[in-house]
Amino acid sequence: ALLGLESVFALFPWAYASLKTAGALYLMWLAYQTWCRARDAVTEAAPRPGRNFGAGFLVNLGNPKSMLFAAAVIIVVFPQGLAGSQIALIALNHLLLEVAFYGLLVALLGAPLARTRYLRLKPLFDRIAATLLGALGLRLLLER
């Protein structure tokens, strides 16, 4: 997909600028939503570690926001003109890191004590995430 997009962007530079602007605005909208909802209560479900991992994995596979977020980050972080093998390696690395990270989160946050502490600190974590998302969106918007 990235190779195809690179070809489209080479033919139509305005398409790259449009996608970059849309990605930046999307990240900034996510930042705003995250900030505003930082204090929203989270309902606790009964712990089901195996099922939770599988459900989270399926949600991430089918969630266009996750894919759009990953694409926006890749556009900001990596330079244009990468070879197909480099793009494939980045995508594989991203997938492995996501599976490992979220697998670790399931294992760690599945414990009652960790869940309780996380929920208490949720507003702080959400505001930090919102700030980072907003900064990344602003950087993408302002970068030439």
Side-chain angles (χ1 to χ4, degrees), residues 1-74:
L2 288 176
L3 287 174
L5 281 178
E6 188 171 8
S7 299
V8 169
F9 294 154
L11 290 172
F12 306 103
W14 60 265
Y16 175 74
S18 298
L19 184 63
K20 186 177 169 183
T21 301
L25 294 173
Y26 177 70
L27 287 174
M28 294 169 76
W29 180 79
L30 281 177
Y32 174 75
Q33 293 295 315
T34 302
W35 187 277
C36 290
R37 296 181 177 156
R39 294 207 177 271
D40 287 0
V42 176
T43 58
E44 287 195 52
R48 303 170 299 164
R51 291 190 66 191
N52 288 346
F53 180 82
F57 187 75
L58 288 175
V59 165
N60 277 294
L61 281 179
N63 187 350
K65 288 192 289 186
S66 296
M67 290 182 256
L68 288 172
F69 177 78
V73 169
I74 288 172

Side-chain angles (χ1 to χ4, degrees), residues 52-53 98-111 114-115 118:
N52 288 346
F53 180 82
E98 291 281 323
V99 170
F101 176 75
Y102 287 115
L104 181 63
L105 278 181
V106 166
L108 291 175
L109 295 178
R115 212 170 35 249
Y118 169 77

